[in-house]
Amino acid sequence: MLVSVIASRAAGGRKPVRKHFEQYYYLSLIGVLSHVFLDLFTPYGVGVLAPIDYRYYSFASVYYLDPVIALVLFTGFMVSRRKRKYAKKALIAALVICLVYLGGRTAARQAAFSFARGKLDNFIVKSISPMPLSLWQWWYVARLADGSKRTGVLDLLAGNSYEAASYPPDARSPLAAVARRTELARGFLHLFPDAHVVASKDDVGRTVVTFRALSYSFQNESKFTVMVYLNSSGKVVGRKAVF
């Protein structure tokens, strides 16, 4: 709304012009809605129903920096700028290509789920996420009945799966339970339900309960983590998040 008012003033003089306001208002609305729509296809997801429902929804079919979508939209924009005669057709074509691509990626993710269930015997596949700069590789998080987890790569083109790391069952100590109840940890687990939880001691004797998002562990083991520090009496004395 504010952007529309500012833009309409710039286009229509000192007083807002209704015609200009409506144009910029709808343009801003399309920008916001398209941003939310595209976020639905990233592993992060988006809370589309907030504040009624704060859960994050996601198709997790494209990486949040997807070169194909960026290239298609940029090409459509450049054609529309240089060839005014074909501007509308170029932009519509770019949007259609992006929608078809998103649909194809969503179907490919479902194929990756089926492929993982066939390859990972005795494992329950918890999540499938797109790998950056790859059209056929997917990152998986799977769990055994005892709570242990495994991460790895599914290569649909080669028809193989590769294990990256294995994790023991999550820490279930009383201090880990206290850490889970902190607002930071609850929010993190809400966003990353496949997170691995481990408890350890630091140099000064505090218990450190670390929550690590396994769906992003292919990037860097130290990223996408939350650490809750507790003293010997079980009191939370510190929190830290790394993204």
Side-chain angles (χ1 to χ4, degrees):
M1 183 73 73
L2 180 60
V3 172
S4 304
V5 172
I6 295 173
S8 63
R9 281 186 178 275
R14 298 187 65 182
K15 294 184 178 180
V17 179
R18 180 174 180 178
K19 178 182 177 181
H20 289 131
F21 173 79
E22 289 180 351
Q23 289 176 346
Y24 288 109
Y25 174 78
Y26 288 119
L27 183 62
S28 301
L29 184 62
I30 291 172
V32 171
L33 293 179
S34 62
H35 187 93
V36 173
F37 175 74
L38 289 174
D39 276 349
L40 277 171
F41 290 88
T42 66
Y44 278 133
V46 62
V48 291
L49 300 180
I52 300 173
D53 182 0
Y54 286 97
R55 285 180 294 179
Y56 275 61
Y57 293 89
S58 169
F59 294 112
S61 50
V62 295
Y63 197 61
Y64 60 86
L65 294 175
D66 190 280
V68 174
I69 292 178
L71 179 62
V72 170
L73 293 179
F74 178 75
T75 302
F77 174 75
M78 291 304 296
V79 171
S80 67
R81 294 285 293 177
R82 294 179 178 273
K83 302 289 184 180
R84 293 289 185 177
K85 181 180 178 180
Y86 303 104
K88 186 176 181 180
K89 291 182 178 179
L91 292 175
I92 291 176
L95 291 175
V96 170
I97 292 172
C98 285
L99 290 175
V100 172
Y101 174 71
L102 289 172
R105 291 289 292 171
T106 302
R109 182 172 181 265
Q110 293 304 313
F113 258 114
S114 299
F115 178 77
R117 294 188 183 104
K119 282 285 185 179
L120 305 174
D121 296 334
N122 302 320
F123 277 89
I124 301 171
V125 181
K126 299 298 293 181
S127 68
I128 298 285
S129 304
M131 295 286 289
L133 303 177
S134 178
L135 295 176
W136 49 82
Q137 290 185 334
W138 299 81
W139 183 259
Y140 72 83
V141 179
R143 188 185 67 186
L144 279 172
D146 65 357
S148 59
K149 300 174 185 177
R150 176 197 290 181
T151 60
V153 177
L154 301 170
D155 193 322
L156 299 185
L157 185 64
N160 289 322
S161 63
Y162 309 95
E163 180 180 347
S166 296
Y167 300 87
D170 291 343
R172 295 293 180 182
S173 65
L175 292 182
V178 173
R180 283 176 177 272
R181 290 195 292 269
T182 62
E183 185 176 355
L184 180 60
R186 284 190 290 110
F188 187 80
L189 291 173
H190 187 74
L191 187 59
F192 302 107
D194 61 357
H196 178 58
V197 185
V198 60
S200 59
K201 292 285 187 179
D202 64 7
D203 296 337
V204 295
R206 298 177 301 181
T207 298
V208 183
V209 181
T210 303
F211 302 83
R212 178 173 292 111
L214 298 185
S215 55
Y216 281 95
S217 56
F218 63 85
Q219 292 186 338
N220 189 319
E221 283 287 337
S222 63
K223 287 188 175 182
F224 295 96
T225 59
V226 159
M227 287 156 280
V228 179
Y229 300 85
L230 304 101
N231 60 20
S232 57
S233 62
K235 182 179 179 180
V236 176
V237 294
R239 303 170 183 84
K240 182 181 179 181
V242 180
F243 290 95

